[in-house]
Amino acid sequence: MTHDRYDDEALRKILQRVRSIALVGASANPARPSWIVTKYLLERGYRVIPVNPGLAGGEILGRPVVARLADLAQPVDMVEIFRNSEAAGPLVDEALALDPLPGVIWMQLGVRNDEAAARAEARGVTVVMNRCPKIEYGRLSGEIGWTGVNSRILSAKRPKLAAKGFQKLTIEER
């Protein structure tokens, strides 16, 4: 699979199918992108488990932090990697040691490791690299357009509002 471009519908299906996310590299600092993404995904109904060895035993946004993927108490649908491209290789291997396997490994913006992606795809795991699920969710739902960003999504259909919250759109079918 080429990872230079992703089909919008494929990304939408991933974000609709995934319900639980292990977020590796989570931060307790509200100024850090990983904290912002964790908060956003929690507000959209995802079950996010922060993974950070330095913060293990504590909490981020009310969610208990584990040290590593092997410490997860429950299976996850997706492992999101908020680390650099070099660190992504061993983290993908750690994700591939989970039983059951996560269905998706998602590497954040600026993170790409083609060798690790090939290992995961050989095991049947979907891989997304150099993308942010928060940005993709916002783009696909139309939320990102509220800030003046061109989402490349045109539709005459009224966007579907999320069940709760203020000005939250959903990626569910309209």
Side-chain angles (χ1 to χ4, degrees):
M1 170 183 219
T2 178
H3 290 281
D4 296 326
R5 186 180 183 293
Y6 297 97
D7 179 67
D8 287 344
E9 198 52 37
L11 292 174
R12 182 186 307 276
K13 285 181 181 175
I14 289 169
L15 292 169
Q16 287 173 330
R17 184 179 69 234
V18 164
R19 298 306 340 140
S20 58
I21 302 168
L23 198 142
V24 180
S27 174
N29 181 347
R32 301 289 302 174
S34 63
W35 187 92
I36 295 165
V37 169
T38 299
K39 182 177 187 299
Y40 183 90
L41 294 173
L42 285 168
E43 289 174 350
R44 297 311 176 278
Y46 294 97
R47 182 173 60 90
V48 180
I49 302 100
V51 180
N52 183 322
L55 301 173
E59 287 188 352
I60 295 175
L61 293 162
R63 304 291 304 151
V65 181
V66 299
R68 54 197 179 106
L69 292 172
D71 297 333
L72 294 170
Q74 300 172 337
V76 292
D77 301 322
M78 182 169 97
V79 171
E80 181 180 2
I81 299 174
F82 248 105
R83 299 284 313 279
N84 64 39
S85 298
E86 187 177 321
L91 289 168
V92 167
D93 293 334
E94 194 176 328
L96 293 175
L98 295 174
D99 184 25
L101 286 175
V104 179
I105 295 175
W106 191 301
M107 299 181 207
Q108 256 301 327
L109 288 172
V111 182
R112 182 172 178 140
N113 188 314
D114 290 299
E115 295 80 19
R119 290 193 302 274
E121 289 171 339
R123 298 276 307 274
V125 177
T126 301
V127 177
V128 177
M129 296 190 286
N130 193 28
R131 295 286 186 276
C132 174
K134 175 191 179 295
I135 291 171
E136 295 303 326
Y137 190 105
R139 186 176 67 78
L140 294 169
S141 71
E143 282 180 347
I144 203 166
W146 289 339
T147 61
V149 175
N150 181 359
S151 68
R152 301 186 328 263
I153 306 283
L154 292 176
S155 176
K157 295 180 182 177
R158 170 176 257 155
K160 184 175 179 184
L161 289 173
K164 62 179 183 176
F166 176 71
Q167 290 190 340
K168 289 183 196 166
L169 298 180
T170 180
I171 57 173
E172 300 305 318
E173 294 303 315
R174 301 167 209 217

